């Protein structure tokens, strides 16, 4: 019969019983989210400190100085990611269920680490290197590849500003270096089939960074300033 | 030196090597997505057929008849979810990484199953019952709780229409039954602390379904039609 | 060598020669488009006339009268589509290249023909019937299936208004008829796997037409007006 | 009577029969689209590889080297377009029905082929030459003229960047060559009556490319660099 014996005593109780179970489950995942959120907030503020000291590089403060202060935050972050991993580890196989809760913060962390690594070595921070720095080289709590790639794109967005400020400070060789680096990076990205729309958009922005740096390099060249990287203002380069 | 020995031969190769590895990884997850998509398209069309036959209930076709046709699709869906589980099982612990690719389709499936179950028994299809029907009672590939709850909300959205059509067909007792059911369901949901915005919004819509059914019940009562379900036009109820 | 012997005499001439050829080709397809456009404008105005006379049905003018005036435009349209087919036939295999130029106008034509056909017979105008009316039953210039389906959706959008006006005019049996028709139509559409986003959206709107008609039928029923279709105001039904 | 004998048994069946036929037709064109999509995805990734190697020209890598890697993809693309043609050939006269599904990808392919051809010969890749390279010189599956023209516009968008990088690398004669080429090309396009809005917009962008190249040529001239292409930094030109 339509609607069946909907008045039968057992229906509502079973309904209540099920939703009581749901209530507990949702509370659990909810409080887990809260704990994740708490750690992510700490990660965010450590990142802010790191970024604050790193920004001084645009005022062409000596790079070693800048890096020393910024590096001091890496271990803090490593500890926090370790903490985060422990929380997430409580519900095995659900890394990607909560992934969105630390995603953007992690992309920012990667972008800063990659920029610092480039200042130090002139090379791209590899995925595995980033994982090591953050203690994420585990099977169960790793650094998502797309987060790493987005972070690298964010780093590239910082490059044009850095080049402009370095040239202003008299480091006329910087554009060439950055251009070489960004060109390789851009070509490498081009090999990837980016189905992730967000990542694809971020990558597209890299093309504009590249063009901007090319224009700066062009200006320096056409004025015959690029012949030598040694100049009074070239502190950054000298000190390293 | 800033930018390091970026000209050294090994840098670019290692960069290319890493991105070549990324290319393969992204290709793999991309083609996995393609395969998931293929199964989801099949699920979608099986759902469409199920819904098409279920819609006849609004024409007050005899419920058993309607259900028989609709039920025939359940095993098809079970087979497809089994297929989907096999695909997803290939990358253990990544259920939630691809979850978004079958999420909305599954919510629709749940809403139809729940509506069919209510027509049959007058009770709410339980979470475990839904999992059994779709063969999702596994630890590694289960029916996400929030998807189940959203599906239940979708089912409730169908109720006002059903009530209106049943009353039109002369089943004047239907509003009371549905009202009782929706009131219990709404009360049960109220117990939950919904942090998921999408689910919360869907639940809010349930309040309007409830209100609309109350209005229909009021119309029937005020006209003294609710006392008996027998009337000239009462074809629907007769067939049941 | 980079840029090759770009100064060699033959380059520019060959360039010019090619673009001169392009110019002709683009002129040709351009003027073809103009001629298509001219016919489409005629189709549009014939459709307007048809619609103008058809609108009187909402004032419950006797249906035969209304249809007679509207039908008079069908042959005009048939002639125009014949004209259009001749133009398009000039470039074989390019029907779909120019299809967009008469698409929406044709969908409107179909919706009017389908509404007229329903008023006359109570049935859906079939695809082949629509093609016959417009003389489009050719292999090389047919009525695109999706255009037919969109037209049918447009017709359904007219139904709620028609039902409301008929009930106002005292035809209390109209909602039942329309509801039966729309329910069957909606169920039939449900069988289709609509990948065409535009068509899918139009179909979704049919669901609201259906609900609106159900509400009207409900109002009529709940007030005990639906028992008989014979009433003073029921001119439309009587005259046919 | 209005709504006719809508209860007569034959109506609904014929409706269902028609829509069952539609369902099959839509499934067919849908799965055809899926197969087209699969090939287009392959075309996209082959294009990506081609572009990745071609990008090195902006680093003034020796052009022959660059072209050799890029050229290796042409046959891959030819094979894929052959595959695509076979799929589309299944429904004769419907090339333009599905044209939109490979349109933008093909425009990108053309732009790369045209850029490569210019690097090799200093001339514009002709429409027929593009068709030959892609094996599209068939009556039933050709390279749409407007796609070719859009592709050429995309190529022109790459020119300013190329010029800037070549000058930076010391090839001070490049601006003159490119300017000559772009001026001829722009003049040729001017002959066309572009009614296609998308193509017209792309062509407008060519004017800005032209202007930018003129500016670079001016910079080079005003500094008396244009007289000779030999300079310390002139690696790019030397390698060629």
């Amino acid at each position: 019969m339509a609607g069946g014996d909907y008045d039968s005593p057992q229906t509502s109780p079973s309904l209540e019983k099920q939703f009581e179970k749901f209530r507990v489950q949702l509370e659990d995942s909810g409080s887990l989210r809260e704990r994740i959120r708490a750690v992510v907030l700490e990660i965010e503020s450590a990142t802010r400190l790191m970024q604050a000291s790193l920004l001084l590089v645009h005022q062409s403060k000596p790079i070693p100085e800048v890096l020393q202060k910024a590096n001091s935050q890496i271990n803090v972050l490593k500890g926090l990611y370790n903490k985060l991993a422990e929380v997430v580890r409580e519900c095995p196989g659900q890394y990607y269920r909560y992934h969105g809760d630390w995603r953007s913060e992690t992309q920012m962390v990667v972008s800063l680490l990659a920029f610092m690594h480039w200042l130090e070595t002139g090379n791209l921070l590899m995925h595995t290197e980033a994982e090591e720095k953050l203690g994420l080289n585990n099977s169960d709590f790793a650094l998502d590849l797309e987060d790493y790639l987005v972070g690298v794109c964010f780093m590239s967005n910082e490059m044009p500003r850095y080049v402009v400020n370095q040239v202003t400070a008299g480091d006329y060789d910087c554009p060439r270096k950055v251009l070489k680096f960004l060109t390789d990076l851009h070509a490498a990205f081009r090999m990837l089939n980016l189905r992730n729309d967000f990542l694809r958009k971020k990558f597209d922005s890299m093309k504009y960074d590249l063009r901007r740096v090319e224009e700066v390099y062009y200006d320096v060249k056409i004025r015959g300033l690029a012949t030598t990287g040694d100049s009074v203002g070239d502190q950054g380069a000298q000190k390293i």
Side-chain angles (χ1 to χ4, degrees), chain A residues 42-226:
Chain A
E42 288 186 85
I43 289 175
E44 224 183 342
S45 70
T47 312
R48 248 195 313 279
L49 291 176
M50 186 183 255
Q51 186 166 27
S53 32
L54 200 53
L55 280 172
L56 298 172
V57 84
H58 290 299
Q59 289 139 54
S60 55
K61 282 258 178 316
I63 288 176
E65 243 178 67
V66 172
L67 289 178
Q68 193 186 11
K69 274 195 80 175
N71 280 322
S72 66
Q73 291 299 323
I74 295 184
N75 277 326
V76 181
L77 284 167
K78 188 173 187 167
L80 290 169
Y81 273 101
N82 185 16
K83 215 160 133 188
L84 185 60
E86 273 168 21
V87 177
V88 176
R89 227 174 248 121
E90 292 176 19
C91 38
Q94 302 198 3
Y95 172 93
Y96 280 106
R97 179 175 188 176
Y98 302 102
H99 181 203
D101 298 349
W102 62 78
R103 185 149 216 181
S104 60
E105 290 76 10
T106 302
Q107 293 164 350
M108 178 55 67
V109 169
V110 169
S111 73
L112 296 180
L113 292 179
F115 188 43
M116 288 154 66
H117 185 80
W118 177 79
L119 286 171
E120 229 168 349
T121 68
N123 298 330
L124 176 69
L125 178 75
M126 294 293 162
H127 183 224
T128 51
E129 291 171 325
E131 288 187 313
E132 272 155 30
K133 279 179 193 287
L134 299 174
L136 296 181
N137 34 6
N138 298 303
S139 55
D140 61 345
F141 195 99
L143 173 58
D144 181 72
L145 175 56
E146 291 184 346
D147 291 344
Y148 165 79
L149 291 170
V150 170
V152 171
C153 292
F154 284 155
M155 172 207 63
S156 126
N157 298 157
E158 278 303 298
M159 288 305 197
R161 189 184 164 203
Y162 177 68
V163 166
V164 165
N165 289 323
Q166 285 301 101
V167 167
T168 308
D171 176 1
Y172 301 126
D173 197 33
C174 178
R176 182 176 60 82
K177 297 173 196 165
V178 173
L179 187 51
K180 168 93 173 59
F181 176 67
L182 275 191
T183 310
D184 291 351
L185 189 60
H186 184 264
F189 260 91
R190 272 308 308 69
M191 293 164 52
L192 306 180
N193 177 356
L194 304 176
R195 307 187 199 222
N196 171 323
D197 292 348
F198 182 72
L199 178 51
R200 177 183 286 280
K201 223 176 275 129
K202 291 302 144 207
F203 167 55
D204 291 339
S205 72
M206 189 187 287
K207 188 169 182 176
Y208 298 101
D209 305 327
L210 189 58
R211 293 209 173 169
R212 179 64 186 128
V213 173
E214 286 171 347
E215 296 282 338
V216 176
Y217 188 34
Y218 168 83
D219 287 340
V220 167
K221 267 285 196 152
I222 206 75
R223 285 169 181 73
L225 297 167

